[in-house]
Short mmCIF file of all heavy atoms in Angstrom, two decimals:
data_model
loop_
_atom_site.label_atom_id
_atom_site.label_comp_id
_atom_site.label_asym_id
_atom_site.label_seq_id
_atom_site.Cartn_x
_atom_site.Cartn_y
_atom_site.Cartn_z
N SER T 1 4.54 -13.37 9.46
CA SER T 1 5.02 -13.15 8.12
C SER T 1 3.88 -12.57 7.29
O SER T 1 2.82 -13.17 7.20
CB SER T 1 5.50 -14.47 7.52
OG SER T 1 5.91 -14.27 6.21
N GLY T 2 4.08 -11.40 6.69
CA GLY T 2 3.04 -10.81 5.86
C GLY T 2 3.16 -9.30 5.78
O GLY T 2 4.22 -8.72 6.02
N ALA T 3 2.04 -8.69 5.44
CA ALA T 3 1.99 -7.24 5.24
C ALA T 3 0.67 -6.70 5.77
O ALA T 3 -0.34 -7.41 5.79
CB ALA T 3 2.13 -6.90 3.76
N VAL T 4 0.69 -5.44 6.17
CA VAL T 4 -0.51 -4.77 6.63
C VAL T 4 -0.66 -3.47 5.83
O VAL T 4 0.32 -2.81 5.49
CB VAL T 4 -0.47 -4.50 8.15
CG1 VAL T 4 0.64 -3.56 8.52
CG2 VAL T 4 -1.81 -3.99 8.65
N PHE T 5 -1.91 -3.14 5.55
CA PHE T 5 -2.23 -1.92 4.79
C PHE T 5 -3.22 -1.11 5.61
O PHE T 5 -4.25 -1.64 6.04
CB PHE T 5 -2.85 -2.32 3.44
CG PHE T 5 -3.31 -1.17 2.60
CD1 PHE T 5 -2.40 -0.28 2.05
CD2 PHE T 5 -4.64 -0.98 2.31
CE1 PHE T 5 -2.82 0.76 1.24
CE2 PHE T 5 -5.07 0.05 1.51
CZ PHE T 5 -4.16 0.93 0.97
N VAL T 6 -2.90 0.15 5.84
CA VAL T 6 -3.79 1.04 6.57
C VAL T 6 -4.14 2.20 5.64
O VAL T 6 -3.25 2.82 5.05
CB VAL T 6 -3.12 1.58 7.86
CG1 VAL T 6 -4.04 2.55 8.58
CG2 VAL T 6 -2.71 0.43 8.77
N ALA T 7 -5.43 2.46 5.52
CA ALA T 7 -5.90 3.59 4.72
C ALA T 7 -6.79 4.46 5.60
O ALA T 7 -7.65 3.94 6.32
CB ALA T 7 -6.69 3.08 3.52
N ALA T 8 -6.56 5.75 5.55
CA ALA T 8 -7.35 6.68 6.36
C ALA T 8 -7.81 7.84 5.49
O ALA T 8 -7.10 8.27 4.59
CB ALA T 8 -6.51 7.21 7.52
N VAL T 9 -9.02 8.30 5.79
CA VAL T 9 -9.58 9.45 5.10
C VAL T 9 -9.87 10.53 6.14
O VAL T 9 -10.48 10.26 7.17
CB VAL T 9 -10.88 9.07 4.35
CG1 VAL T 9 -11.53 10.30 3.75
CG2 VAL T 9 -10.61 8.03 3.29
N ASP T 10 -9.41 11.74 5.86
CA ASP T 10 -9.67 12.88 6.71
C ASP T 10 -10.14 14.02 5.82
O ASP T 10 -9.33 14.68 5.16
CB ASP T 10 -8.40 13.27 7.47
CG ASP T 10 -8.62 14.42 8.44
OD1 ASP T 10 -9.79 14.71 8.77
OD2 ASP T 10 -7.63 15.03 8.88
N GLY T 11 -11.45 14.18 5.77
CA GLY T 11 -12.01 15.19 4.87
C GLY T 11 -11.79 14.78 3.43
O GLY T 11 -12.29 13.75 2.99
N ASP T 12 -11.02 15.57 2.69
CA ASP T 12 -10.74 15.25 1.29
C ASP T 12 -9.32 14.71 1.10
O ASP T 12 -8.82 14.66 -0.01
CB ASP T 12 -10.98 16.45 0.39
CG ASP T 12 -10.06 17.63 0.72
OD1 ASP T 12 -9.38 17.59 1.78
OD2 ASP T 12 -10.01 18.58 -0.06
N LYS T 13 -8.68 14.27 2.19
CA LYS T 13 -7.31 13.77 2.11
C LYS T 13 -7.26 12.28 2.43
O LYS T 13 -7.98 11.79 3.29
CB LYS T 13 -6.40 14.53 3.07
CG LYS T 13 -6.29 15.99 2.69
CD LYS T 13 -5.32 16.71 3.56
CE LYS T 13 -5.30 18.17 3.11
NZ LYS T 13 -4.35 18.97 3.80
N VAL T 14 -6.37 11.59 1.73
CA VAL T 14 -6.18 10.15 1.89
C VAL T 14 -4.75 9.91 2.38
O VAL T 14 -3.81 10.52 1.88
CB VAL T 14 -6.37 9.41 0.54
CG1 VAL T 14 -6.06 7.94 0.69
CG2 VAL T 14 -7.76 9.63 0.01
N SER T 15 -4.62 9.03 3.36
CA SER T 15 -3.30 8.60 3.83
C SER T 15 -3.22 7.09 3.72
O SER T 15 -4.17 6.39 4.09
CB SER T 15 -3.06 9.01 5.28
OG SER T 15 -3.06 10.40 5.41
N LEU T 16 -2.12 6.59 3.20
CA LEU T 16 -1.91 5.15 3.05
C LEU T 16 -0.61 4.78 3.76
O LEU T 16 0.36 5.53 3.72
CB LEU T 16 -1.78 4.77 1.58
CG LEU T 16 -2.88 5.23 0.63
CD1 LEU T 16 -2.53 4.84 -0.80
CD2 LEU T 16 -4.22 4.64 1.03
N LEU T 17 -0.61 3.61 4.38
CA LEU T 17 0.58 3.09 5.05
C LEU T 17 0.66 1.60 4.79
O LEU T 17 -0.35 0.89 4.90
CB LEU T 17 0.51 3.34 6.56
CG LEU T 17 1.62 2.68 7.37
CD1 LEU T 17 2.87 3.54 7.32
CD2 LEU T 17 1.18 2.46 8.79
N ILE T 18 1.83 1.13 4.41
CA ILE T 18 2.07 -0.30 4.24
C ILE T 18 3.27 -0.67 5.09
O ILE T 18 4.30 0.01 5.06
CB ILE T 18 2.34 -0.67 2.77
CG1 ILE T 18 1.11 -0.38 1.91
CG2 ILE T 18 2.74 -2.14 2.64
CD1 ILE T 18 1.31 -0.61 0.43
N ALA T 19 3.12 -1.76 5.87
CA ALA T 19 4.23 -2.30 6.65
C ALA T 19 4.36 -3.78 6.30
O ALA T 19 3.36 -4.48 6.16
CB ALA T 19 3.97 -2.13 8.14
N VAL T 20 5.60 -4.22 6.14
CA VAL T 20 5.89 -5.59 5.74
C VAL T 20 6.86 -6.19 6.75
O VAL T 20 7.83 -5.53 7.14
CB VAL T 20 6.52 -5.63 4.32
CG1 VAL T 20 6.84 -7.04 3.89
CG2 VAL T 20 5.58 -4.98 3.30
N THR T 21 6.60 -7.43 7.17
CA THR T 21 7.52 -8.08 8.10
C THR T 21 8.86 -8.30 7.41
O THR T 21 8.94 -8.44 6.19
CB THR T 21 6.96 -9.42 8.60
OG1 THR T 21 6.70 -10.27 7.49
CG2 THR T 21 5.68 -9.21 9.40
N SER T 22 9.93 -8.34 8.21
CA SER T 22 11.28 -8.42 7.64
C SER T 22 11.48 -9.67 6.79
O SER T 22 12.23 -9.63 5.81
CB SER T 22 12.33 -8.35 8.74
OG SER T 22 12.16 -9.42 9.66
N ASP T 23 10.82 -10.77 7.13
CA ASP T 23 11.00 -11.99 6.35
C ASP T 23 10.22 -11.98 5.03
O ASP T 23 10.42 -12.85 4.20
CB ASP T 23 10.61 -13.22 7.17
CG ASP T 23 9.16 -13.20 7.60
OD1 ASP T 23 8.62 -12.11 7.86
OD2 ASP T 23 8.56 -14.29 7.71
N ALA T 24 9.35 -10.99 4.83
CA ALA T 24 8.56 -10.91 3.60
C ALA T 24 9.00 -9.79 2.66
O ALA T 24 8.43 -9.64 1.58
CB ALA T 24 7.08 -10.75 3.94
N THR T 25 10.00 -9.00 3.04
CA THR T 25 10.41 -7.87 2.20
C THR T 25 11.01 -8.33 0.87
O THR T 25 11.05 -7.55 -0.08
CB THR T 25 11.40 -6.94 2.92
OG1 THR T 25 12.52 -7.69 3.35
CG2 THR T 25 10.74 -6.24 4.09
N GLY T 26 11.46 -9.55 0.78
CA GLY T 26 11.94 -10.07 -0.50
C GLY T 26 10.80 -10.36 -1.46
O GLY T 26 11.00 -10.44 -2.67
N LEU T 27 9.59 -10.49 -0.93
CA LEU T 27 8.41 -10.76 -1.75
C LEU T 27 7.58 -9.51 -2.01
O LEU T 27 7.00 -9.35 -3.08
CB LEU T 27 7.53 -11.81 -1.06
CG LEU T 27 8.19 -13.15 -0.77
CD1 LEU T 27 7.29 -14.00 0.12
CD2 LEU T 27 8.50 -13.88 -2.06
N ILE T 28 7.49 -8.66 -1.00
CA ILE T 28 6.70 -7.42 -1.09
C ILE T 28 7.59 -6.26 -0.66
O ILE T 28 8.07 -6.25 0.47
CB ILE T 28 5.46 -7.47 -0.17
CG1 ILE T 28 4.56 -8.65 -0.52
CG2 ILE T 28 4.68 -6.16 -0.26
CD1 ILE T 28 3.45 -8.87 0.49
N HIS T 29 7.80 -5.30 -1.53
CA HIS T 29 8.56 -4.09 -1.21
C HIS T 29 7.54 -3.00 -0.91
O HIS T 29 6.84 -2.53 -1.81
CB HIS T 29 9.44 -3.71 -2.40
CG HIS T 29 10.40 -2.61 -2.11
ND1 HIS T 29 10.00 -1.32 -1.88
CD2 HIS T 29 11.75 -2.61 -2.01
CE1 HIS T 29 11.06 -0.57 -1.67
NE2 HIS T 29 12.14 -1.34 -1.74
N ALA T 30 7.44 -2.61 0.35
CA ALA T 30 6.42 -1.64 0.76
C ALA T 30 6.50 -0.34 -0.04
O ALA T 30 5.47 0.20 -0.46
CB ALA T 30 6.53 -1.35 2.25
N GLY T 31 7.70 0.16 -0.25
CA GLY T 31 7.87 1.43 -0.97
C GLY T 31 7.38 1.37 -2.40
O GLY T 31 6.71 2.28 -2.89
N LYS T 32 7.71 0.28 -3.09
CA LYS T 32 7.25 0.13 -4.48
C LYS T 32 5.75 -0.06 -4.54
O LYS T 32 5.08 0.50 -5.41
CB LYS T 32 7.97 -1.04 -5.14
CG LYS T 32 9.44 -0.79 -5.37
CD LYS T 32 10.12 -1.98 -5.99
CE LYS T 32 11.61 -1.74 -6.16
NZ LYS T 32 12.32 -2.92 -6.67
N LEU T 33 5.21 -0.86 -3.61
CA LEU T 33 3.77 -1.12 -3.63
C LEU T 33 2.97 0.14 -3.32
O LEU T 33 1.99 0.44 -4.01
CB LEU T 33 3.42 -2.25 -2.66
CG LEU T 33 1.96 -2.69 -2.63
CD1 LEU T 33 1.44 -3.03 -4.02
CD2 LEU T 33 1.79 -3.87 -1.68
N VAL T 34 3.37 0.90 -2.32
CA VAL T 34 2.63 2.12 -2.01
C VAL T 34 2.75 3.12 -3.16
O VAL T 34 1.82 3.88 -3.43
CB VAL T 34 3.05 2.72 -0.65
CG1 VAL T 34 4.27 3.61 -0.76
CG2 VAL T 34 1.91 3.50 -0.02
N GLY T 35 3.88 3.09 -3.87
CA GLY T 35 4.03 3.94 -5.05
C GLY T 35 3.06 3.60 -6.15
O GLY T 35 2.62 4.47 -6.90
N GLU T 36 2.70 2.32 -6.27
CA GLU T 36 1.70 1.90 -7.25
C GLU T 36 0.29 2.26 -6.82
O GLU T 36 -0.57 2.56 -7.65
CB GLU T 36 1.77 0.38 -7.46
CG GLU T 36 3.03 -0.10 -8.13
CD GLU T 36 3.06 -1.62 -8.25
OE1 GLU T 36 1.98 -2.22 -8.44
OE2 GLU T 36 4.15 -2.20 -8.14
N LEU T 37 0.03 2.22 -5.51
CA LEU T 37 -1.32 2.47 -5.00
C LEU T 37 -1.62 3.96 -4.83
O LEU T 37 -2.78 4.37 -4.94
CB LEU T 37 -1.50 1.78 -3.65
CG LEU T 37 -1.29 0.27 -3.62
CD1 LEU T 37 -1.50 -0.27 -2.21
CD2 LEU T 37 -2.18 -0.44 -4.61
N ALA T 38 -0.63 4.76 -4.56
CA ALA T 38 -0.83 6.19 -4.28
C ALA T 38 -1.60 6.94 -5.36
O ALA T 38 -2.48 7.75 -5.03
CB ALA T 38 0.50 6.87 -4.00
N PRO T 39 -1.33 6.72 -6.65
CA PRO T 39 -2.09 7.45 -7.66
C PRO T 39 -3.60 7.17 -7.62
O PRO T 39 -4.39 8.01 -8.05
CB PRO T 39 -1.49 6.96 -8.98
CG PRO T 39 -0.10 6.56 -8.63
CD PRO T 39 -0.23 5.96 -7.25
N MET T 40 -3.99 6.03 -7.09
CA MET T 40 -5.42 5.72 -6.95
C MET T 40 -6.09 6.67 -5.97
O MET T 40 -7.29 6.91 -6.06
CB MET T 40 -5.61 4.27 -6.50
CG MET T 40 -5.10 3.27 -7.50
SD MET T 40 -5.17 1.60 -6.82
CE MET T 40 -4.15 0.74 -8.02
N GLY T 41 -5.30 7.22 -5.04
CA GLY T 41 -5.80 8.21 -4.09
C GLY T 41 -5.41 9.62 -4.48
O GLY T 41 -5.49 10.54 -3.68
N GLY T 42 -4.95 9.77 -5.72
CA GLY T 42 -4.60 11.09 -6.22
C GLY T 42 -3.31 11.65 -5.65
O GLY T 42 -3.16 12.87 -5.54
N GLY T 43 -2.38 10.77 -5.29
CA GLY T 43 -1.17 11.28 -4.67
C GLY T 43 0.08 10.54 -5.08
O GLY T 43 0.13 9.86 -6.10
N ARG T 44 1.09 10.68 -4.20
CA ARG T 44 2.39 10.04 -4.41
C ARG T 44 2.83 9.44 -3.09
O ARG T 44 2.38 9.84 -2.03
CB ARG T 44 3.43 11.07 -4.83
CG ARG T 44 3.12 11.76 -6.11
CD ARG T 44 4.20 12.73 -6.51
NE ARG T 44 5.07 13.11 -5.38
CZ ARG T 44 5.98 14.04 -5.42
NH1 ARG T 44 6.16 14.71 -6.53
NH2 ARG T 44 6.73 14.32 -4.38
N GLY T 45 3.75 8.50 -3.21
CA GLY T 45 4.26 7.90 -1.99
C GLY T 45 5.51 7.10 -2.25
O GLY T 45 5.92 6.90 -3.39
N GLY T 46 6.11 6.62 -1.19
CA GLY T 46 7.29 5.79 -1.28
C GLY T 46 7.80 5.48 0.10
O GLY T 46 7.19 5.83 1.10
N GLY T 47 8.92 4.77 0.14
CA GLY T 47 9.50 4.44 1.43
C GLY T 47 10.44 3.27 1.33
O GLY T 47 10.92 2.91 0.25
N ARG T 48 10.68 2.66 2.46
CA ARG T 48 11.62 1.55 2.59
C ARG T 48 10.94 0.23 2.22
O ARG T 48 9.72 0.16 2.11
CB ARG T 48 12.11 1.48 4.03
CG ARG T 48 12.79 2.76 4.51
CD ARG T 48 13.37 2.57 5.91
NE ARG T 48 12.46 1.90 6.83
CZ ARG T 48 11.72 2.50 7.76
NH1 ARG T 48 11.77 3.81 7.90
NH2 ARG T 48 10.95 1.81 8.57
N PRO T 49 11.72 -0.83 2.10
CA PRO T 49 11.14 -2.14 1.81
C PRO T 49 10.17 -2.62 2.89
O PRO T 49 9.20 -3.33 2.60
CB PRO T 49 12.35 -3.08 1.74
CG PRO T 49 13.47 -2.20 1.34
CD PRO T 49 13.20 -0.87 2.02
N ASP T 50 10.40 -2.20 4.16
CA ASP T 50 9.56 -2.68 5.25
C ASP T 50 8.45 -1.72 5.66
O ASP T 50 7.50 -2.14 6.33
CB ASP T 50 10.43 -3.03 6.46
CG ASP T 50 11.12 -1.80 7.04
OD1 ASP T 50 11.46 -0.88 6.27
OD2 ASP T 50 11.36 -1.79 8.26
N MET T 51 8.53 -0.45 5.29
CA MET T 51 7.48 0.50 5.65
C MET T 51 7.47 1.66 4.69
O MET T 51 8.53 2.18 4.32
CB MET T 51 7.67 1.03 7.07
CG MET T 51 6.52 1.93 7.48
SD MET T 51 6.77 2.73 9.07
CE MET T 51 6.26 1.45 10.18
N ALA T 52 6.26 2.06 4.29
CA ALA T 52 6.12 3.16 3.35
C ALA T 52 4.79 3.85 3.56
O ALA T 52 3.84 3.26 4.10
CB ALA T 52 6.22 2.63 1.92
N GLN T 53 4.71 5.10 3.10
CA GLN T 53 3.47 5.85 3.23
C GLN T 53 3.22 6.72 2.01
O GLN T 53 4.14 7.01 1.25
CB GLN T 53 3.47 6.68 4.50
CG GLN T 53 4.57 7.68 4.61
CD GLN T 53 4.59 8.36 5.97
OE1 GLN T 53 3.79 8.08 6.84
NE2 GLN T 53 5.51 9.28 6.15
N ALA T 54 1.97 7.11 1.88
CA ALA T 54 1.57 7.95 0.76
C ALA T 54 0.43 8.85 1.20
O ALA T 54 -0.27 8.57 2.18
CB ALA T 54 1.12 7.10 -0.42
N GLY T 55 0.23 9.91 0.45
CA GLY T 55 -0.88 10.81 0.71
C GLY T 55 -1.43 11.33 -0.61
O GLY T 55 -0.74 11.35 -1.62
N GLY T 56 -2.70 11.68 -0.58
CA GLY T 56 -3.33 12.19 -1.80
C GLY T 56 -4.61 12.93 -1.48
O GLY T 56 -5.01 13.07 -0.33
N GLY T 57 -5.26 13.38 -2.53
CA GLY T 57 -6.46 14.19 -2.36
C GLY T 57 -7.68 13.68 -3.08
O GLY T 57 -8.61 14.44 -3.33
N ASP T 58 -7.73 12.38 -3.41
CA ASP T 58 -8.88 11.82 -4.12
C ASP T 58 -9.43 10.64 -3.33
O ASP T 58 -9.01 9.50 -3.51
CB ASP T 58 -8.47 11.37 -5.53
CG ASP T 58 -9.64 10.82 -6.33
OD1 ASP T 58 -10.80 10.89 -5.85
OD2 ASP T 58 -9.40 10.33 -7.44
N VAL T 59 -10.37 10.93 -2.44
CA VAL T 59 -10.92 9.87 -1.58
C VAL T 59 -11.74 8.85 -2.36
O VAL T 59 -11.95 7.74 -1.88
CB VAL T 59 -11.77 10.46 -0.43
CG1 VAL T 59 -10.91 11.32 0.48
CG2 VAL T 59 -12.96 11.24 -0.94
N SER T 60 -12.15 9.18 -3.56
CA SER T 60 -12.96 8.23 -4.34
C SER T 60 -12.17 7.00 -4.77
O SER T 60 -12.76 5.97 -5.12
CB SER T 60 -13.54 8.92 -5.58
OG SER T 60 -12.52 9.23 -6.51
N GLY T 61 -10.84 7.05 -4.71
CA GLY T 61 -10.02 5.92 -5.13
C GLY T 61 -9.61 4.98 -4.01
O GLY T 61 -8.88 4.02 -4.24
N ILE T 62 -10.08 5.23 -2.79
CA ILE T 62 -9.63 4.43 -1.66
C ILE T 62 -10.05 2.97 -1.77
O ILE T 62 -9.26 2.07 -1.47
CB ILE T 62 -10.10 5.05 -0.32
CG1 ILE T 62 -9.34 4.44 0.85
CG2 ILE T 62 -11.55 4.88 -0.09
CD1 ILE T 62 -8.23 5.28 1.32
N ASP T 63 -11.25 2.70 -2.23
CA ASP T 63 -11.69 1.31 -2.38
C ASP T 63 -10.85 0.57 -3.42
O ASP T 63 -10.50 -0.59 -3.22
CB ASP T 63 -13.17 1.23 -2.75
CG ASP T 63 -14.08 1.65 -1.61
OD1 ASP T 63 -13.66 1.53 -0.44
OD2 ASP T 63 -15.21 2.10 -1.89
N GLN T 64 -10.51 1.24 -4.49
CA GLN T 64 -9.67 0.65 -5.53
C GLN T 64 -8.28 0.35 -4.97
O GLN T 64 -7.70 -0.70 -5.26
CB GLN T 64 -9.57 1.59 -6.72
CG GLN T 64 -8.72 1.06 -7.85
CD GLN T 64 -8.55 2.07 -8.98
OE1 GLN T 64 -8.94 3.22 -8.87
NE2 GLN T 64 -7.95 1.64 -10.06
N ALA T 65 -7.74 1.23 -4.15
CA ALA T 65 -6.42 1.03 -3.56
C ALA T 65 -6.43 -0.16 -2.61
O ALA T 65 -5.50 -0.97 -2.61
CB ALA T 65 -5.95 2.29 -2.84
N ILE T 66 -7.47 -0.30 -1.81
CA ILE T 66 -7.58 -1.43 -0.89
C ILE T 66 -7.64 -2.74 -1.66
O ILE T 66 -6.93 -3.70 -1.34
CB ILE T 66 -8.80 -1.26 0.04
CG1 ILE T 66 -8.60 -0.06 0.97
CG2 ILE T 66 -9.07 -2.54 0.83
CD1 ILE T 66 -9.84 0.36 1.72
N GLU T 67 -8.47 -2.79 -2.66
CA GLU T 67 -8.60 -4.00 -3.48
C GLU T 67 -7.27 -4.34 -4.16
O GLU T 67 -6.85 -5.50 -4.19
CB GLU T 67 -9.70 -3.82 -4.51
CG GLU T 67 -9.99 -5.08 -5.29
CD GLU T 67 -11.18 -4.92 -6.23
OE1 GLU T 67 -12.16 -4.24 -5.86
OE2 GLU T 67 -11.11 -5.49 -7.34
N ALA T 68 -6.60 -3.33 -4.69
CA ALA T 68 -5.33 -3.55 -5.37
C ALA T 68 -4.27 -4.06 -4.40
O ALA T 68 -3.46 -4.92 -4.75
CB ALA T 68 -4.86 -2.27 -6.05
N PHE T 69 -4.28 -3.56 -3.16
CA PHE T 69 -3.31 -4.05 -2.17
C PHE T 69 -3.50 -5.54 -1.95
O PHE T 69 -2.54 -6.31 -1.99
CB PHE T 69 -3.44 -3.31 -0.85
CG PHE T 69 -2.66 -3.98 0.25
CD1 PHE T 69 -1.29 -3.81 0.34
CD2 PHE T 69 -3.29 -4.80 1.17
CE1 PHE T 69 -0.56 -4.45 1.33
CE2 PHE T 69 -2.57 -5.45 2.16
CZ PHE T 69 -1.19 -5.27 2.25
N TYR T 70 -4.73 -5.96 -1.69
CA TYR T 70 -4.98 -7.37 -1.40
C TYR T 70 -4.62 -8.25 -2.60
O TYR T 70 -4.07 -9.34 -2.44
CB TYR T 70 -6.43 -7.60 -0.97
CG TYR T 70 -6.65 -7.21 0.47
CD1 TYR T 70 -7.35 -6.06 0.81
CD2 TYR T 70 -6.12 -7.99 1.50
CE1 TYR T 70 -7.53 -5.71 2.14
CE2 TYR T 70 -6.29 -7.63 2.82
CZ TYR T 70 -7.00 -6.49 3.13
OH TYR T 70 -7.18 -6.13 4.45
N THR T 71 -4.90 -7.78 -3.79
CA THR T 71 -4.57 -8.55 -4.99
C THR T 71 -3.05 -8.68 -5.14
O THR T 71 -2.52 -9.78 -5.29
CB THR T 71 -5.17 -7.89 -6.24
OG1 THR T 71 -6.59 -7.86 -6.11
CG2 THR T 71 -4.78 -8.64 -7.50
N LYS T 72 -2.34 -7.56 -5.09
CA LYS T 72 -0.90 -7.56 -5.32
C LYS T 72 -0.14 -8.28 -4.20
O LYS T 72 0.77 -9.08 -4.45
CB LYS T 72 -0.38 -6.14 -5.49
CG LYS T 72 -0.86 -5.50 -6.79
CD LYS T 72 -0.43 -4.05 -6.86
CE LYS T 72 -0.96 -3.37 -8.09
NZ LYS T 72 -0.35 -3.84 -9.33
N ALA T 73 -0.51 -8.02 -2.96
CA ALA T 73 0.16 -8.67 -1.83
C ALA T 73 -0.14 -10.17 -1.84
O ALA T 73 0.76 -10.99 -1.60
CB ALA T 73 -0.27 -8.04 -0.51
N GLY T 74 -1.37 -10.54 -2.12
CA GLY T 74 -1.73 -11.95 -2.18
C GLY T 74 -0.97 -12.69 -3.24
O GLY T 74 -0.49 -13.81 -3.02
N GLU T 75 -0.85 -12.09 -4.42
CA GLU T 75 -0.10 -12.73 -5.50
C GLU T 75 1.38 -12.88 -5.13
O GLU T 75 1.99 -13.91 -5.40
CB GLU T 75 -0.23 -11.90 -6.79
CG GLU T 75 -1.59 -11.97 -7.42
CD GLU T 75 -1.78 -10.96 -8.56
OE1 GLU T 75 -0.87 -10.14 -8.81
OE2 GLU T 75 -2.84 -11.02 -9.22
N SER T 76 1.94 -11.86 -4.51
CA SER T 76 3.35 -11.90 -4.13
C SER T 76 3.61 -12.98 -3.08
O SER T 76 4.58 -13.73 -3.18
CB SER T 76 3.81 -10.55 -3.60
OG SER T 76 3.76 -9.58 -4.61
N LEU T 77 2.75 -13.05 -2.09
CA LEU T 77 2.94 -14.05 -1.03
C LEU T 77 2.65 -15.47 -1.52
O LEU T 77 3.30 -16.41 -1.09
CB LEU T 77 2.06 -13.72 0.17
CG LEU T 77 2.46 -12.45 0.93
CD1 LEU T 77 1.41 -12.10 1.98
CD2 LEU T 77 3.82 -12.61 1.59
N ALA T 78 1.71 -15.60 -2.44
CA ALA T 78 1.38 -16.93 -2.97
C ALA T 78 2.50 -17.49 -3.85
O ALA T 78 2.63 -18.70 -3.98
CB ALA T 78 0.09 -16.86 -3.78
N SER T 79 3.31 -16.61 -4.41
CA SER T 79 4.39 -17.07 -5.30
C SER T 79 5.59 -17.60 -4.51
O SER T 79 6.52 -18.12 -5.10
CB SER T 79 4.83 -15.94 -6.22
OG SER T 79 5.50 -14.93 -5.48
N ALA T 80 5.54 -17.46 -3.20
CA ALA T 80 6.68 -17.91 -2.36
C ALA T 80 6.70 -19.42 -2.20
O ALA T 80 5.77 -20.10 -2.19
CB ALA T 80 6.60 -17.25 -1.00
#
């Protein structure tokens, strides 16, 4: 039960992926969360409640996106 966040940098491009287990999609919506994190990497994203992805062109925001994921996912799971 939980969520995983993958962030990759390739040159000046950022890719983000969030996957959420089926029993946690009521607490964490992957598509909405990646939509909140994508602007930190200079991009856009979205997807389903259980899996979503984003891309952008600002690698300087990757650390902020990682920190925000852990904060938001932790708060959501702790409220259960």
Side-chain angles (χ1 to χ4, degrees):
S1 178
V4 64
F5 176 67
V6 178
V9 175
D10 183 17
D12 62 349
K13 296 184 181 184
V14 175
S15 296
L16 308 176
L17 173 81
I18 296 176
V20 180
T21 58
S22 60
D23 61 326
T25 56
L27 301 171
I28 302 171
H29 188 292
K32 291 179 183 176
L33 183 53
V34 85
E36 292 178 34
L37 302 180
M40 297 174 193
R44 299 182 341 188
R48 301 185 315 259
D50 64 329
M51 185 186 277
Q53 59 186 1
D58 182 6
V59 298
S60 69
I62 195 99
D63 290 334
Q64 181 185 7
I66 293 168
E67 186 175 323
F69 168 79
Y70 281 107
T71 299
K72 291 175 183 291
E75 289 171 355
S76 294
L77 292 172
S79 69

